[in-house]
Amino acid sequence: MIRKVILLVVLCASTIAMQAQKFALVDMDYILKNIPAYERANEQLNQVSKKWQAEVEAVQIEAQTLYKNYQNEVVFLSQEQKKTRQDAIVKKEQEAAELKKKYFGPQGELFKKRTALMTPIQEEVYTAVRDIADLRGYQLVLDRASDAGIIFGSPKVDISNEVLSKLGYAN
């Protein structure tokens, strides 16, 4: 009997606590797709990425060409010529690898450019979400577009359009 009373009190207390908390959802994909500056930044990143990828591939093709030429002529080359050609192939392959790392590595040019273009937009969106959460008393705002495991989110708590409006992008 006492256990049932304690369980009932705990359930009531947790229910009251849950009711006191307010939650909201946002769809960051939807928000970002409706911000023209974000779309322009993405396009700019795609263009520069393609340009840099072409540069890397050109150097890789040069290395492959050197290697094929070496294979075709190896029987006619002296030991010294073989060594010179092998060194040239290795040097060209290293050049391609270094170029790839420079552009696409963890701290490469693409990462730096993405950070420079996207961070101001993301900070602006974050500020708008935070302001709306403060204004409406939300303790938690979840991104429905992420893999956070949201199975259902009522459209009534989705503040994505309100975030866009606060940012000046009427929808």
Side-chain angles (χ1 to χ4, degrees):
M1 179 73 174
I2 293 178
R3 282 186 172 170
K4 288 181 181 178
V5 171
I6 292 173
L7 181 61
L8 185 60
V9 169
V10 169
L11 285 173
C12 287
S14 63
T15 302
I16 291 169
M18 287 179 70
Q19 288 176 346
Q21 296 178 355
K22 290 179 74 177
F23 303 95
L25 297 174
V26 294
D27 186 332
M28 289 303 290
D29 288 345
Y30 170 76
I31 291 170
L32 293 173
K33 286 178 183 170
N34 282 283
I35 297 176
Y38 181 80
E39 291 297 313
R40 285 191 302 272
N42 253 342
E43 183 55 36
Q44 192 175 353
L45 287 171
N46 286 337
Q47 288 174 358
V48 77
S49 178
K50 287 177 185 176
K51 176 185 164 213
W52 289 339
Q53 185 62 38
E55 279 184 51
V56 170
E57 288 173 0
V59 176
Q60 288 173 333
I61 289 170
E62 287 179 39
Q64 290 170 355
T65 302
L66 287 173
Y67 181 71
K68 286 178 186 174
N69 290 343
Y70 171 77
Q71 284 183 317
N72 290 337
E73 300 167 359
V74 70
V75 292
F76 305 111
L77 300 174
S78 69
Q79 286 295 28
E80 187 177 310
Q81 289 172 323
K82 286 179 187 178
K83 176 78 171 116
T84 302
R85 296 266 184 102
Q86 290 170 353
D87 290 346
I89 294 166
V90 169
K91 184 178 177 183
K92 193 55 78 173
E93 288 172 344
Q94 287 174 340
E95 182 183 335
E98 288 172 12
L99 199 58
K100 187 174 185 177
K101 182 180 176 185
K102 173 186 170 189
Y103 290 141
F104 303 107
Q107 297 298 317
E109 296 298 318
L110 187 62
F111 173 80
K112 291 175 186 172
K113 188 141 187 87
R114 178 177 286 119
T115 301
L117 292 172
M118 298 300 190
T119 299
I121 298 167
Q122 291 167 337
E123 286 176 358
E124 186 180 13
V125 171
Y126 171 77
T127 300
V129 169
R130 188 191 64 221
D131 290 349
I132 292 168
D134 288 346
L135 179 70
R136 296 176 93 198
Y138 296 127
Q139 285 81 29
L140 180 65
V141 178
L142 300 170
D143 179 8
R144 89 173 23 196
S146 74
D147 294 331
I150 298 172
I151 296 171
F152 171 77
S154 171
K156 294 176 185 175
V157 296
D158 190 329
I159 61 170
S160 301
N161 283 325
E162 192 173 346
V163 171
L164 283 170
S165 293
K166 180 145 183 81
L167 292 168
Y169 302 104
N171 209 11

